[in-house]
Amino acid sequence: EGSTEDIDNLMLSMYLSFILFAMFSLASSMYLGKLIQEPLDKLTTGIQKFGEGDFEYRVQKTQFLELNQIVDSYNKMASELDTLYNDLESKVVERTEALEAANKELKETQSIMVHAEKMRSLGELVAGIAHEINNPINFIYGNMVHFENYVNDIFDLFDKYEQLKSKVSEID
């Protein structure tokens, strides 16, 4: 019976050792999991902020070399993208200003061209009116010599009529 009791005690101590080992393993894995999970959560947060366009968020280094390599890569990528984003933003501002200036210049040129077209049309209208006024004036001016001859002939006719009238009254 002593040996059965020894076997039972040995089995009990093995079960207790197994249970203690399992509890220690569980506690250790929970601790290590938390120790690893916390930096991974921070990295995940960084990736989410990165996806939202926050390129200035940086992940803090951990005590694990492998995670630090990922953190360094993330921080470098975020920094480079932040620089590229800012450069792109400034180029967009520059191009927008250039386009606005070109648009303003086009509007001014369009305004000048519209004004020039209006002036050309007005010039054609004035030329047409001047032509219509000049036609009768030129007709009158061109016939003034003939008109003067007719008026002189009429005055001569009046003079001859007066002379004839005075001769007729002398005769009577």
Side-chain angles (χ1 to χ4, degrees):
E1 265 197 30
S3 87
T4 314
E5 192 174 300
D6 286 338
I7 292 178
D8 285 342
N9 283 338
L10 183 63
M11 289 294 282
L12 181 63
S13 73
M14 280 178 53
Y15 284 136
L16 287 175
S17 296
F18 178 73
I19 291 173
L20 284 175
F21 179 74
M23 288 174 52
F24 175 75
S25 296
L26 182 62
S28 296
S29 66
M30 288 176 60
Y31 174 74
L32 287 175
K34 184 179 178 192
L35 197 64
I36 293 172
Q37 187 63 39
E38 192 174 310
L40 288 176
D41 287 343
K42 289 180 181 177
L43 186 60
T44 302
T45 301
I47 291 170
Q48 287 172 345
K49 289 189 178 277
F50 187 79
E52 294 168 359
D54 182 5
F55 302 126
E56 295 178 8
Y57 182 82
R58 298 296 181 265
V59 179
Q60 299 298 317
K61 287 191 174 191
T62 68
Q63 60 190 12
F64 302 106
L65 179 64
E66 295 81 6
L67 285 177
N68 284 341
Q69 289 174 342
I70 295 171
V71 166
D72 287 343
S73 294
Y74 169 82
N75 288 338
K76 182 180 177 189
M77 177 182 65
S79 177
E80 289 174 359
L81 282 174
D82 189 37
T83 302
L84 289 173
Y85 180 79
N86 290 332
D87 289 347
L88 181 63
E89 193 68 33
S90 67
K91 285 181 183 179
V92 166
V93 168
E94 288 174 15
R95 298 272 165 82
T96 301
E97 289 172 354
L99 285 173
E100 286 173 352
N103 190 29
K104 182 180 176 185
E105 185 178 338
L106 281 173
K107 285 183 179 181
E108 289 173 358
T109 302
Q110 181 185 21
S111 176
I112 290 169
M113 291 179 73
V114 166
H115 180 71
E117 181 61 25
K118 285 180 182 178
M119 294 306 288
R120 185 193 64 77
S121 296
L122 183 62
E124 286 181 8
L125 177 66
V126 169
I129 291 171
H131 176 73
E132 294 302 321
I133 291 172
N134 280 335
N135 277 347
I137 290 175
N138 285 336
F139 175 77
I140 292 169
Y141 181 74
N143 289 312
M144 285 301 286
V145 172
H146 300 296
F147 181 71
E148 184 180 0
N149 289 338
Y150 291 143
V151 169
N152 287 336
D153 287 346
I154 288 174
F155 283 135
D156 286 344
L157 188 61
F158 282 143
D159 287 342
K160 286 183 183 178
Y161 174 74
E162 287 295 322
Q163 286 174 5
L164 193 64
K165 185 177 171 188
S166 64
K167 281 187 186 180
V168 168
S169 33
E170 283 177 13
I171 295 182
D172 275 335

